[in-house]
Amino acid sequence: MIQTKAVRTAFASIAFAFCATASQAQSYTDPATGLAVIDPPPPFAASAHAMDEAERRLYAAIIDIDSTTGEPKSGNVDGRLCGAYFIKPPPGSIFTREELDRQFSDPDWLARQRTAFERMGTISPFTIFRQQGHAGIELTAVANIGPGAGTSVIYSALLDTQKGRTSLVCVTTKDEIEKVLPLFRALRASIRAPE
């Protein structure tokens, strides 16, 4: 078969467009805030979330993150696996990076965070991580409220920057959490918090 230069160029263009589309289908950046999920690990794909009125009062941005294979299993009633959330700080709140990082070694601040998370369920000890040069905390909680009480496990990670708080929340089943925890951590690493 004879291939002309024009045919080879056309095939190359189609292949490039296909690769670009496939890559873009996994990543998503919120245009208003800059919250982003960049090249999440397989099988995750990020997409825009259509916020309702109640969500708009709480969050500046939400990105849906779901599995393209159905694994890991969602523990949410609505079937959603994960979401990345961004909340702006209250007006007039100005913190330096050092002040934000210090809170993660402040026992009183950590105790307040623990109390807030204990409303969801029985929580694991906090793990401190660093991302984008900032300190963050992650934990798991066995849900004790709602339809998934006792069977759903929530993985949550939060990171504070001067622009606000970015969090990742994933809900899976109690049977799967140990197996998928490294995958959720890799997903967390793909999130870019607004700075």
Side-chain angles (χ1 to χ4, degrees):
M1 178 182 353
I2 299 172
Q3 288 188 348
T4 67
K5 184 176 179 184
V7 170
R8 286 194 306 271
T9 302
F11 278 121
S13 297
I14 291 168
F16 177 81
F18 177 77
C19 291
T21 303
S23 175
Q24 290 167 353
Q26 291 184 14
S27 300
Y28 179 77
T29 301
D30 176 68
T33 63
L35 174 66
V37 179
I38 307 294
D39 295 328
F44 295 117
S47 61
H49 176 84
M51 289 196 286
D52 62 27
E53 190 58 40
E55 290 170 328
R56 276 195 289 276
R57 284 194 294 272
L58 291 172
Y59 304 104
I62 300 174
I63 298 175
D64 289 333
I65 307 166
D66 285 302
S67 170
T68 58
T69 64
E71 294 292 331
K73 293 182 180 96
S74 171
N76 269 320
V77 174
D78 65 5
R80 287 190 304 151
L81 182 60
C82 300
Y85 302 83
F86 179 64
I87 301 171
K88 290 183 179 178
S93 300
I94 299 173
F95 298 100
T96 65
R97 179 180 285 224
E98 293 75 23
E99 288 171 326
L100 291 170
D101 280 355
R102 265 197 307 272
Q103 68 190 4
F104 290 92
S105 58
D106 176 354
D108 291 336
W109 184 85
L110 289 170
R112 287 192 302 276
Q113 300 306 307
R114 177 168 282 288
T115 299
F117 280 109
E118 284 175 339
R119 290 184 211 138
M120 292 187 299
T122 307
I123 66 172
S124 68
F126 290 159
T127 301
I128 306 291
F129 66 90
R130 291 203 70 82
Q131 189 162 319
Q132 293 175 242
H134 296 277
I137 57 173
E138 70 174 7
L139 66 127
T140 59
V142 178
N144 63 7
I145 56 173
T151 60
S152 292
V153 178
I154 302 158
Y155 167 83
S156 186
L158 60 90
L159 182 73
D160 287 341
T161 67
Q162 291 172 285
K163 292 265 181 97
R165 174 168 284 182
T166 297
S167 58
L168 170 65
V169 177
C170 298
V171 183
T172 189
T173 63
K174 205 171 180 180
D175 296 336
E176 294 216 340
I177 189 62
E178 290 305 317
K179 178 178 71 175
V180 301
L181 200 50
L183 190 57
F184 287 159
R185 287 181 173 138
L187 175 59
R188 182 203 75 214
S190 76
I191 295 173
R192 298 295 171 261
E195 291 188 285

